[in-house]
Amino acid sequence: MVVLGIETSCDETGVALVSLSPATNSTEKSRGGGPGGHGRVLAQALHSQISLHAAYGGVVPELASRDHILRLSPLIQQVMAQAGLAWPNIDAIAYTEGPGLAGALLVGASLAQGLAAATGKPIIGIHHLEGHLLSPLLAQEAQALGFPFLALLVSGGHTQIMQVDGLGEYTLLGETIDDAAGEAFDKSAQLLGLGYPGGPEIGRWAQKGDAKRFDLPRPLLKRPTLDFSFAGLKTAVLTQVQKLKQSLRLDDQARADMAAAVQAAIVDVLSAKCRKAIHETGIRRLVVAGGVGANQSLRERLQHIAQEEDCQIIFPPPALCTDNGVMIAWAAGLRLLAGQASQTAGSFNVKPRWPLSETALRAS
Ligand code: KG4
Ligand code: ZN
Protein backbone atom coordinates (compact mmCIF):
# COMPACT_ATOMS: atom_id res chain seq x y z
CA MET A 1 0.00 0.00 0.00
CA VAL A 2 1.37 3.42 -0.95
CA VAL A 3 0.03 6.39 1.03
CA LEU A 4 0.48 10.07 0.23
CA GLY A 5 0.75 12.06 3.47
CA ILE A 6 0.11 15.80 3.74
CA GLU A 7 0.95 17.84 6.86
CA THR A 8 -0.02 21.51 7.16
CA SER A 9 -1.04 21.96 10.80
CA CYS A 10 1.42 24.71 11.67
CA ASP A 11 4.48 26.16 9.99
CA GLU A 12 5.89 23.25 7.98
CA THR A 13 4.45 22.04 4.70
CA GLY A 14 5.26 18.34 4.70
CA VAL A 15 4.54 15.81 1.97
CA ALA A 16 5.62 12.17 1.75
CA LEU A 17 4.98 8.88 0.06
CA VAL A 18 5.24 5.88 2.37
CA SER A 19 4.91 2.27 1.31
CA LEU A 20 3.46 -0.13 3.90
CA SER A 21 3.03 -3.87 4.13
CA PRO A 22 1.19 -5.79 6.85
CA ALA A 23 3.29 -7.28 9.65
CA THR A 24 3.73 -11.01 9.16
CA ASN A 25 6.45 -11.69 11.68
CA SER A 26 5.27 -14.28 14.23
CA THR A 27 7.39 -12.77 17.03
CA GLU A 28 5.51 -9.51 16.63
CA LYS A 29 2.19 -11.29 16.78
CA SER A 30 3.12 -13.25 19.89
CA ARG A 31 4.12 -10.02 21.63
CA GLY A 32 0.66 -8.62 21.22
CA GLY A 33 1.45 -7.13 17.85
CA GLY A 34 3.79 -4.39 16.84
CA PRO A 35 2.38 -1.40 15.04
CA GLY A 36 0.82 -3.82 12.53
CA GLY A 37 2.86 -2.91 9.51
CA HIS A 38 6.26 -2.26 8.04
CA GLY A 39 6.94 0.99 6.32
CA ARG A 40 9.43 2.45 3.91
CA VAL A 41 9.69 6.10 2.95
CA LEU A 42 9.63 6.33 -0.86
CA ALA A 43 10.00 10.10 -1.04
CA GLN A 44 9.50 13.12 1.16
CA ALA A 45 9.68 16.88 0.94
CA LEU A 46 9.42 19.56 3.56
CA HIS A 47 9.18 23.30 3.35
CA SER A 48 9.82 25.11 6.61
CA GLN A 49 8.31 28.57 7.10
CA ILE A 50 10.78 29.44 9.86
CA SER A 51 12.25 32.42 8.01
CA LEU A 52 8.74 33.74 7.30
CA HIS A 53 7.82 33.87 10.98
CA ALA A 54 11.25 34.50 12.55
CA ALA A 55 10.81 38.28 12.68
CA TYR A 56 7.64 37.84 14.78
CA GLY A 57 9.19 35.34 17.23
CA GLY A 58 6.30 32.93 16.63
CA VAL A 59 3.96 31.59 13.97
CA VAL A 60 1.59 34.13 12.34
CA PRO A 61 -1.46 31.99 11.39
CA GLU A 62 -2.55 33.93 8.28
CA LEU A 63 0.97 33.96 6.83
CA ALA A 64 1.21 30.24 7.51
CA SER A 65 -2.01 29.45 5.59
CA ARG A 66 -1.00 31.53 2.59
CA ASP A 67 2.40 29.92 2.38
CA HIS A 68 0.93 26.40 2.59
CA ILE A 69 -1.27 27.30 -0.42
CA LEU A 70 1.81 28.30 -2.41
CA ARG A 71 3.96 25.32 -1.46
CA LEU A 72 1.70 22.32 -1.29
CA SER A 73 1.01 21.45 -4.94
CA PRO A 74 4.67 21.78 -6.07
CA LEU A 75 5.79 19.63 -3.13
CA ILE A 76 3.29 16.90 -4.05
CA GLN A 77 4.55 16.96 -7.64
CA GLN A 78 8.11 16.83 -6.33
CA VAL A 79 7.62 13.70 -4.20
CA MET A 80 5.71 11.91 -6.97
CA ALA A 81 8.57 12.61 -9.38
CA GLN A 82 11.19 11.67 -6.78
CA ALA A 83 9.48 8.30 -6.17
CA GLY A 84 8.81 7.82 -9.88
CA LEU A 85 5.12 7.25 -9.18
CA ALA A 86 1.90 8.39 -10.84
CA TRP A 87 -1.64 8.56 -9.43
CA PRO A 88 -2.55 4.94 -10.35
CA ASN A 89 0.28 3.82 -8.01
CA ILE A 90 -1.12 5.66 -4.99
CA ASP A 91 -3.54 3.73 -2.77
CA ALA A 92 -4.68 6.38 -0.31
CA ILE A 93 -4.40 10.06 0.53
CA ALA A 94 -3.85 11.19 4.14
CA TYR A 95 -3.88 14.68 5.63
CA THR A 96 -3.62 16.22 9.09
CA GLU A 97 -7.18 16.83 10.27
CA GLY A 98 -6.17 18.47 13.56
CA PRO A 99 -5.21 19.78 16.01
CA GLY A 100 -3.48 22.87 14.70
CA LEU A 101 -4.12 26.27 13.14
CA ALA A 102 -7.58 26.20 11.51
CA GLY A 103 -6.59 28.01 8.31
CA ALA A 104 -3.40 26.00 7.87
CA LEU A 105 -5.27 22.73 8.42
CA LEU A 106 -7.91 23.75 5.88
CA VAL A 107 -5.29 24.16 3.15
CA GLY A 108 -4.07 20.57 3.50
CA ALA A 109 -7.57 19.15 4.01
CA SER A 110 -9.02 20.94 0.97
CA LEU A 111 -6.23 19.91 -1.35
CA ALA A 112 -6.37 16.31 -0.12
CA GLN A 113 -10.12 16.26 -0.64
CA GLY A 114 -9.77 17.73 -4.11
CA LEU A 115 -7.20 15.09 -5.04
CA ALA A 116 -9.39 12.31 -3.64
CA ALA A 117 -12.40 13.57 -5.56
CA ALA A 118 -10.37 13.82 -8.78
CA THR A 119 -8.62 10.44 -8.48
CA GLY A 120 -11.25 8.39 -6.63
CA LYS A 121 -8.66 7.39 -3.99
CA PRO A 122 -9.66 6.70 -0.37
CA ILE A 123 -8.91 9.60 1.96
CA ILE A 124 -8.21 9.62 5.68
CA GLY A 125 -7.76 12.47 8.19
CA ILE A 126 -5.08 11.95 10.82
CA HIS A 127 -4.56 13.38 14.30
CA HIS A 128 -1.28 15.31 14.24
CA LEU A 129 -0.18 13.91 17.61
CA GLU A 130 -0.92 10.36 16.53
CA GLY A 131 1.48 11.04 13.67
CA HIS A 132 4.16 12.13 16.15
CA LEU A 133 3.38 9.24 18.47
CA LEU A 134 3.67 6.52 15.84
CA SER A 135 6.57 8.02 13.87
CA PRO A 136 9.28 6.38 16.03
CA LEU A 137 7.81 2.98 15.06
CA LEU A 138 8.78 3.55 11.45
CA ALA A 139 12.45 2.99 12.31
CA GLN A 140 13.57 -0.53 11.38
CA GLU A 141 14.51 -1.56 14.89
CA ALA A 142 11.23 -0.24 16.31
CA GLN A 143 8.81 -1.91 13.94
CA ALA A 144 8.64 -4.92 16.27
CA LEU A 145 7.87 -2.81 19.35
CA GLY A 146 4.81 -4.25 21.03
CA PHE A 147 1.94 -2.58 22.85
CA PRO A 148 1.48 -1.30 25.45
CA PHE A 149 4.07 1.46 25.60
CA LEU A 150 4.41 4.87 27.17
CA ALA A 151 4.85 7.93 24.99
CA LEU A 152 6.28 11.29 25.90
CA LEU A 153 4.86 13.79 23.40
CA VAL A 154 6.76 17.05 23.56
CA SER A 155 6.18 19.68 20.91
CA GLY A 156 5.56 23.41 20.54
CA GLY A 157 1.89 22.99 21.40
CA HIS A 158 1.74 19.86 23.55
CA THR A 159 3.42 18.16 26.49
CA GLN A 160 1.78 14.88 27.38
CA ILE A 161 2.54 11.42 28.70
CA MET A 162 0.28 8.85 27.07
CA GLN A 163 -0.27 5.15 27.58
CA VAL A 164 -0.61 3.47 24.19
CA ASP A 165 -2.43 0.12 24.34
CA GLY A 166 -2.92 -0.24 20.60
CA LEU A 167 -3.59 1.75 17.48
CA GLY A 168 -6.18 4.37 18.44
CA GLU A 169 -6.08 3.30 22.10
CA TYR A 170 -4.51 6.26 23.81
CA THR A 171 -4.91 7.15 27.49
CA LEU A 172 -3.69 10.49 28.74
CA LEU A 173 -1.66 10.00 31.94
CA GLY A 174 -0.48 13.59 32.36
CA GLU A 175 -0.16 16.85 30.47
CA THR A 176 0.87 20.44 30.88
CA ILE A 177 -1.54 22.65 32.76
CA ASP A 178 -0.24 25.76 30.97
CA ASP A 179 2.63 26.16 28.46
CA ALA A 180 4.11 23.32 26.41
CA ALA A 181 7.79 22.37 26.82
CA GLY A 182 8.55 23.62 23.29
CA GLU A 183 6.89 26.93 24.13
CA ALA A 184 9.11 27.23 27.22
CA PHE A 185 12.16 26.73 24.96
CA ASP A 186 10.84 29.20 22.36
CA LYS A 187 9.84 31.93 24.82
CA SER A 188 13.07 31.66 26.82
CA ALA A 189 15.07 31.94 23.59
CA GLN A 190 13.06 35.00 22.62
CA LEU A 191 13.72 36.65 26.02
CA LEU A 192 17.44 35.97 25.59
CA GLY A 193 17.43 37.40 22.08
CA LEU A 194 18.36 34.06 20.50
CA GLY A 195 16.94 32.84 17.20
CA TYR A 196 13.66 31.12 16.34
CA PRO A 197 12.64 28.34 16.83
CA GLY A 198 14.08 28.51 20.30
CA GLY A 199 14.57 24.82 21.08
CA PRO A 200 17.52 24.15 18.78
CA GLU A 201 19.01 27.58 19.66
CA ILE A 202 18.82 26.93 23.41
CA GLY A 203 20.35 23.50 22.80
CA ARG A 204 23.26 25.07 20.90
CA TRP A 205 23.92 27.89 23.37
CA ALA A 206 23.57 25.55 26.35
CA GLN A 207 26.64 23.62 25.21
CA LYS A 208 28.80 26.63 26.14
CA GLY A 209 26.94 27.44 29.33
CA ASP A 210 27.03 26.65 33.03
CA ALA A 211 23.56 25.48 34.11
CA LYS A 212 24.32 26.14 37.78
CA ARG A 213 24.82 29.90 37.46
CA PHE A 214 21.08 30.60 37.47
CA ASP A 215 18.59 28.97 39.78
CA LEU A 216 15.37 28.19 37.91
CA PRO A 217 12.26 26.42 39.26
CA ARG A 218 11.26 22.83 38.41
CA PRO A 219 7.47 23.27 38.51
CA LEU A 220 5.37 20.32 39.78
CA LEU A 221 8.51 18.17 40.05
CA LYS A 222 7.69 16.90 43.50
CA ARG A 223 3.90 16.67 43.03
CA PRO A 224 2.41 13.18 42.92
CA THR A 225 0.91 13.72 39.45
CA LEU A 226 2.20 13.25 35.92
CA ASP A 227 1.15 16.78 34.96
CA PHE A 228 3.59 19.49 33.92
CA SER A 229 3.72 23.28 34.23
CA PHE A 230 6.14 25.56 32.41
CA ALA A 231 4.58 29.03 32.79
CA GLY A 232 6.44 29.70 36.06
CA LEU A 233 9.73 28.81 34.42
CA LYS A 234 9.14 31.40 31.71
CA THR A 235 8.34 34.05 34.35
CA ALA A 236 11.52 33.16 36.26
CA VAL A 237 13.59 33.52 33.08
CA LEU A 238 11.93 36.89 32.38
CA THR A 239 12.77 38.17 35.88
CA GLN A 240 16.40 37.05 35.68
CA VAL A 241 16.86 38.43 32.16
CA GLN A 242 15.41 41.81 33.23
CA LYS A 243 17.88 41.94 36.14
CA LEU A 244 20.76 41.11 33.80
CA LYS A 245 19.67 43.80 31.36
CA GLN A 246 19.37 46.43 34.10
CA SER A 247 22.89 45.70 35.30
CA LEU A 248 24.17 45.54 31.69
CA ARG A 249 25.36 41.97 32.22
CA LEU A 250 23.34 40.20 29.52
CA ASP A 251 26.43 39.20 27.53
CA ASP A 252 26.98 36.04 25.51
CA GLN A 253 28.25 34.09 28.52
CA ALA A 254 25.12 35.01 30.48
CA ARG A 255 22.99 33.94 27.49
CA ALA A 256 24.78 30.60 27.30
CA ASP A 257 24.49 30.06 31.09
CA MET A 258 20.79 30.92 31.06
CA ALA A 259 20.21 28.66 28.03
CA ALA A 260 21.90 25.81 29.92
CA ALA A 261 19.81 26.53 33.03
CA VAL A 262 16.54 26.57 31.03
CA GLN A 263 17.40 23.32 29.26
CA ALA A 264 18.41 21.66 32.55
CA ALA A 265 15.13 22.69 34.21
CA ILE A 266 12.99 21.38 31.33
CA VAL A 267 14.98 18.14 31.00
CA ASP A 268 14.83 17.55 34.79
CA VAL A 269 11.04 17.82 34.83
CA LEU A 270 10.34 15.83 31.66
CA SER A 271 12.65 13.00 32.62
CA ALA A 272 11.46 12.79 36.24
CA LYS A 273 7.84 12.47 35.08
CA CYS A 274 8.81 9.75 32.59
CA ARG A 275 10.48 7.79 35.39
CA LYS A 276 7.37 8.26 37.51
CA ALA A 277 5.14 7.00 34.66
CA ILE A 278 7.34 3.89 34.31
CA HIS A 279 7.01 3.23 38.04
CA GLU A 280 3.27 3.86 38.17
CA THR A 281 2.29 1.76 35.15
CA GLY A 282 5.01 -0.88 35.24
CA ILE A 283 5.30 -0.41 31.46
CA ARG A 284 8.92 -0.71 30.38
CA ARG A 285 8.77 0.70 26.87
CA LEU A 286 8.99 4.42 26.24
CA VAL A 287 8.64 6.24 22.94
CA VAL A 288 9.66 9.89 22.70
CA ALA A 289 8.03 12.02 20.02
CA GLY A 290 7.59 15.64 18.95
CA GLY A 291 10.00 18.47 18.20
CA VAL A 292 11.50 18.72 21.70
CA GLY A 293 12.39 15.03 21.36
CA ALA A 294 15.22 16.20 19.10
CA ASN A 295 16.94 17.77 22.13
CA GLN A 296 20.25 16.02 22.74
CA SER A 297 20.37 16.64 26.47
CA LEU A 298 16.84 15.21 26.90
CA ARG A 299 17.79 12.17 24.83
CA GLU A 300 20.88 11.51 26.93
CA ARG A 301 19.01 11.86 30.22
CA LEU A 302 16.16 9.60 29.10
CA GLN A 303 18.64 7.00 27.81
CA HIS A 304 20.23 7.01 31.23
CA ILE A 305 16.88 6.61 33.02
CA ALA A 306 15.85 3.85 30.61
CA GLN A 307 19.03 1.94 31.48
CA GLU A 308 18.44 2.34 35.21
CA GLU A 309 14.80 1.29 34.90
CA ASP A 310 15.50 -1.56 32.45
CA CYS A 311 13.18 0.14 29.98
CA GLN A 312 13.28 -0.03 26.17
CA ILE A 313 13.43 3.51 24.77
CA ILE A 314 12.78 4.61 21.22
CA PHE A 315 13.46 7.99 19.66
CA PRO A 316 12.57 8.88 16.10
CA PRO A 317 15.49 10.06 13.99
CA PRO A 318 15.78 13.84 14.72
CA ALA A 319 14.42 14.71 11.25
CA LEU A 320 11.21 12.81 12.05
CA CYS A 321 10.78 14.55 15.43
CA THR A 322 9.56 17.82 14.01
CA ASP A 323 6.51 18.10 11.76
CA ASN A 324 6.63 16.16 8.50
CA GLY A 325 4.43 14.37 5.96
CA VAL A 326 6.00 10.96 6.62
CA MET A 327 4.35 10.57 10.01
CA ILE A 328 0.93 11.37 8.57
CA ALA A 329 1.26 8.85 5.72
CA TRP A 330 2.59 6.20 8.13
CA ALA A 331 -0.18 6.67 10.72
CA ALA A 332 -2.83 6.59 7.97
CA GLY A 333 -1.33 3.46 6.43
CA LEU A 334 -1.33 1.67 9.81
CA ARG A 335 -4.97 2.62 10.33
CA LEU A 336 -5.97 1.44 6.87
CA LEU A 337 -4.11 -1.87 7.39
CA ALA A 338 -5.98 -2.25 10.68
CA GLY A 339 -9.30 -1.89 8.85
CA GLN A 340 -10.10 1.76 9.48
CA ALA A 341 -12.78 3.07 7.13
CA SER A 342 -11.71 5.94 4.87
CA GLN A 343 -13.74 9.14 4.80
CA THR A 344 -16.42 9.92 2.30
CA ALA A 345 -14.99 12.33 -0.27
CA GLY A 346 -16.43 15.81 0.11
CA SER A 347 -17.49 15.46 3.76
CA PHE A 348 -14.58 16.92 5.63
CA ASN A 349 -14.02 19.06 8.61
CA VAL A 350 -10.82 20.17 10.28
CA LYS A 351 -10.48 19.94 14.06
CA PRO A 352 -8.25 22.70 15.46
CA ARG A 353 -8.89 21.25 18.94
CA TRP A 354 -9.12 17.49 19.15
CA PRO A 355 -8.21 15.26 22.12
CA LEU A 356 -6.04 12.32 21.10
CA SER A 357 -8.21 10.06 23.27
CA GLU A 358 -11.03 10.60 20.73
CA THR A 359 -9.34 8.79 17.88
CA ALA A 360 -10.51 5.19 18.29
CA LEU A 361 -10.37 3.08 15.13
CA ARG A 362 -13.56 3.20 13.04
CA ALA A 363 -13.68 -0.12 11.26
CA SER A 364 -15.06 -0.29 7.74
O1 KG4 B 1 6.58 18.91 16.82
P1 KG4 B 1 6.99 20.25 16.34
O2 KG4 B 1 7.83 20.37 15.12
O3 KG4 B 1 5.75 21.16 16.05
C1 KG4 B 1 4.62 21.17 16.85
O4 KG4 B 1 3.73 20.32 16.61
O5 KG4 B 1 4.63 22.00 17.79
O6 KG4 B 1 7.71 20.94 17.59
C2 KG4 B 1 8.23 22.23 17.52
C3 KG4 B 1 8.87 22.56 18.86
C4 KG4 B 1 9.34 24.00 18.94
O7 KG4 B 1 8.91 24.55 20.16
C5 KG4 B 1 10.85 23.86 18.91
O8 KG4 B 1 11.52 24.90 19.61
C6 KG4 B 1 11.06 22.53 19.58
O9 KG4 B 1 10.00 21.73 19.09
N1 KG4 B 1 12.35 21.92 19.20
C7 KG4 B 1 13.33 21.67 20.09
C8 KG4 B 1 14.41 21.15 19.35
N2 KG4 B 1 14.05 21.08 18.02
C9 KG4 B 1 12.77 21.55 17.96
N3 KG4 B 1 13.38 21.87 21.42
C10 KG4 B 1 14.51 21.54 22.05
N4 KG4 B 1 15.61 21.05 21.41
C11 KG4 B 1 15.61 20.83 20.07
N5 KG4 B 1 16.69 20.34 19.45
ZN1 ZN C 1 4.04 18.62 15.67
Side-chain angles (χ1 to χ4, degrees), residues 26-116:
S26 57
T27 334
E28 282 172 42
K29 288 191 172 150
S30 67
R31 288 170 68 189
H38 293 275
R40 198 160 57 86
V41 179
L42 302 178
Q44 61 169 313
L46 189 71
H47 175 78
S48 169
Q49 302 179 354
I50 284 175
S51 57
L52 189 65
H53 303 291
Y56 307 94
V59 178
V60 183
E62 186 55 31
L63 293 181
S65 316
R66 289 185 208 174
D67 201 58
H68 286 308
I69 293 174
L70 287 178
R71 308 287 172 180
L72 197 47
S73 291
L75 287 184
I76 292 173
Q77 283 163 359
Q78 187 182 321
V79 295
M80 300 278 277
Q82 209 178 313
L85 296 182
W87 286 108
N89 310 116
I90 310 293
D91 297 296
I93 297 167
Y95 66 95
T96 304
E97 190 174 354
L101 302 171
L105 289 166
L106 273 169
V107 177
S110 320
L111 194 77
Q113 288 288 339
L115 289 171

Side-chain angles (χ1 to χ4, degrees), residues 7 9 128-129 132 155-156 290-291 321-323 327:
E7 154 64 34
S9 68
H128 179 81
L129 293 181
H132 276 305
S155 69
C321 279
T322 45
D323 295 348
M327 66 185 194

Side-chain angles (χ1 to χ4, degrees), residues 317-362:
L320 271 192
C321 279
T322 45
D323 295 348
N324 61 82
V326 173
M327 66 185 194
I328 301 305
W330 168 239
L334 289 177
R335 278 185 171 260
L336 291 167
L337 287 178
Q340 158 106 33
S342 56
Q343 294 172 341
T344 316
S347 66
F348 76 101
N349 201 357
V350 293
K351 298 176 180 159
R353 289 179 183 277
W354 185 13
L356 186 54
S357 51
E358 291 173 12
T359 56
L361 276 183
R362 296 180 312 274

